[in-house]
Amino acid sequence: MEVVPAQNWSDTAKLDLYWDLRHTESKNDRLGVKLKGSIPQVPYTFAYLNTGYPCMNEKQLAMGETTIVGRKELRSPKGLFHIEDLQGIALQRCSTAREAVLLMGRLAEQYGYRDSGECLTVADKRELWFFEITGVGPEDMGALWVARRIPDDHVTVSANTPRISDVDFGDKDNYMYSEGLKEKARKLGYWDGKEPFKFWKVIHETGKKPFTIRDFFVLKTLAPSLNLTMDMEELPLSVKPEQNVSLADMNRLLRETYEGTEWDMTKDMMVTKKIKDKDGTERDTIYKSPLAQNWMTNDMFEFLNAQRGEKKIEKQRTISVVWCAYSFVIQCRDWLPDEVGGVCWWSEDNPGESPRVPLFAGMTDVPESFKVCGHKRYRPDAALWTYRRTNRLAQVSWGHGRKLIEPAVLSFEQKAADEMPLIENKVSVLIREGKKDEAQAYLTRYSFDFIYSTLRCWEEMEGQLWHKFGRGF
């Protein structure tokens, strides 16, 4: 992670594009990196937060990424761009979601898109768009893409599968798409020209549905009266939630393991223990094993199911997963200055166990431990592993470990909720007074302090867990 500063460029400047930057461990790591091409640079580029998949710029333009794979035969190895290249370019050059979608789509058509199928959620202070893209096959350079605007009062979700269905080619306000899309889809054999044009059917692997349990769970949770089911051919791309969705609601959804629902994998992990009641009589008490948790590995599942006879546990893909490198929730707010209106609530490792820290659109730097990627190997200098060591230790006996982890997560969430109005007011005053540099320095210091507080807390909890489990788990 790094904050790439805004910059002026000469008329002859080029933007070099490299392969495999996303797989490096730090800004200066060039192991396996190759120059793959260049395009003309623009006179001025915005500052942006460069993460594994770049996510926010100084204008409150924000993006979230999910790999939707799509048809393998649509991969275009001759293309120039991976999805993170398009994200970074758009964040440097655009201030609105609509601009960003059109720029990314046209660049991919012109220079070629070589990545697997991808979906970007692209947001600014006024609009939210879904942007789905794939290549056009191994023999051509170009891209197939569709973008759909999400209604202002709706919520949507994309969880590693194509979701855009019918395309209204006459509605230019709410749809954008690649040139010659219908003709290319028909030529490739993925649309017969007669059926309604559903983009997910064009780019998705044959026989697969355009949603997963994660899409279903979120939409069903927020709009229960729609009576959505997993048996449907497709789900609505977006729904109007029956109650306003808060930042805390978003955080809860990202922590979700379906505990307490019919998809809870731990619901039958009960044990019986004799416990004395107040009068000293021993009684059988049934309770959930403290070893039960919804993040079991495949080996743990296989072992557990081997002991259960025919009553097997069906594995579910939870929203919160232990292999997660990072997750975030981004707020874009037009009633606040860009510097503080855009805030990325960042979390390293498992969203169900780690705290969220604020990274502001106006920040100028991030802590050194956030500049190091620890996802490829163990690195004690990477912030990821400060959280991950504690989180994994807590999972060994989650019934006990969660008593430490969950209150800590919520305490930092409450700390942010209590302090953000003060931060927003102070920065707004500084911006009105023309003190932008002072405002940015203030936001950077606040974010650093918040991050260091969480790191210290997780280090302390690691010690407490080792003390608790030091003689065995």
Side-chain angles (χ1 to χ4, degrees), residues 97-140:
R98 192 178 291 262
E99 286 178 325
V101 166
L102 189 58
L103 175 65
M104 291 187 293
R106 294 296 179 244
L107 285 174
E109 290 177 71
Q110 181 179 356
Y111 293 97
Y113 178 78
R114 62 176 293 112
D115 216 339
S116 62
E118 291 280 353
C119 174
L120 299 179
T121 305
V122 188
D124 60 31
K125 295 172 282 189
R126 298 294 180 89
E127 293 185 353
L128 175 68
W129 287 79
F130 249 29
F131 172 76
E132 293 184 348
I133 183 171
T134 71
V136 291
E139 301 305 318
D140 294 312

Side-chain angles (χ1 to χ4, degrees), residues 164-329:
I164 296 178
S165 186
D166 298 277
V167 180
D168 186 344
F169 290 93
D171 185 354
K172 305 299 184 183
D173 288 335
N174 296 298
Y175 291 86
M176 289 185 274
Y177 43 85
S178 52
E179 293 186 9
L181 176 61
K182 289 193 289 186
E183 292 77 10
K184 291 177 182 177
R186 190 169 184 177
K187 181 180 178 181
L188 289 165
Y190 303 133
W191 180 56
D192 63 7
K194 300 175 183 178
E195 293 184 351
F197 188 92
K198 294 178 180 289
F199 191 56
W200 70 264
K201 287 190 174 183
V202 173
I203 66 172
H204 203 14
E205 294 179 81
T206 302
K208 289 191 174 182
K209 286 188 174 185
F211 65 91
T212 68
I213 188 173
R214 289 172 287 159
D215 307 277
F216 166 74
F217 187 88
V218 171
L219 298 179
K220 182 178 176 63
T221 298
L222 297 178
S225 66
L226 293 180
N227 296 317
L228 302 177
T229 71
M230 287 289 289
D231 297 325
M232 293 177 167
E233 181 189 27
E234 59 182 22
L235 299 178
L237 179 61
S238 64
V239 301
K240 185 175 181 177
E242 293 172 18
Q243 296 181 351
N244 288 337
V245 180
S246 67
L247 176 60
D249 293 329
M250 292 298 299
N251 292 338
R252 276 193 294 273
L253 285 170
L254 286 174
R255 291 193 292 265
E256 190 60 64
T257 62
Y258 319 135
E259 187 171 11
T261 74
E262 62 183 285
W263 304 283
D264 181 358
M265 293 173 283
T266 70
K267 63 179 180 290
D268 294 326
M269 295 183 188
M270 311 301 288
V271 294
T272 302
K273 183 177 181 180
K274 291 188 179 296
I275 298 178
K276 290 183 179 180
D277 58 21
K278 293 181 180 179
D279 60 10
T281 303
E282 282 193 344
R283 302 184 186 277
D284 286 343
T285 302
I286 300 175
Y287 65 100
K288 183 176 288 188
S289 169
L291 300 180
Q293 44 114 335
N294 277 303
W295 301 305
M296 291 181 290
T297 64
N298 289 335
D299 288 341
M300 294 167 69
F301 258 103
E302 290 169 4
F303 177 78
L304 186 61
N305 277 332
Q307 319 305 313
R308 294 175 63 87
E310 295 187 7
K311 193 176 182 181
K312 307 294 185 185
I313 298 173
E314 182 180 357
K315 190 169 186 179
Q316 303 290 350
R317 171 53 158 95
T318 55
I319 295 175
S320 166
V321 292
V322 294
W323 61 83
C324 181
Y326 65 83
S327 64
F328 57 78
V329 179

Side-chain angles (χ1 to χ4, degrees), residues 1 25-26 324-326 346-350 353-355 357 359 366-392 447-448 450-459 462:
M1 177 193 295
E25 295 186 16
S26 65
C324 181
Y326 65 83
W346 183 269
S347 179
E348 303 257 333
D349 194 52
N350 183 359
E353 297 178 280
S354 291
V357 300
L359 304 174
V366 295
E368 291 300 315
S369 62
F370 271 49
K371 297 177 183 178
V372 179
C373 175
H375 199 53
K376 294 175 66 176
R377 61 189 175 106
Y378 176 69
R379 289 197 58 163
D381 57 340
L384 171 69
W385 279 99
T386 299
Y387 301 115
R388 182 167 282 177
R389 285 195 306 267
T390 304
N391 293 345
R392 293 303 169 276
S447 182
F448 272 51
F450 198 107
I451 290 168
Y452 291 147
S453 294
T454 66
L455 291 170
R456 179 59 180 162
C457 179
W458 258 247
E459 287 173 344
E462 182 185 7

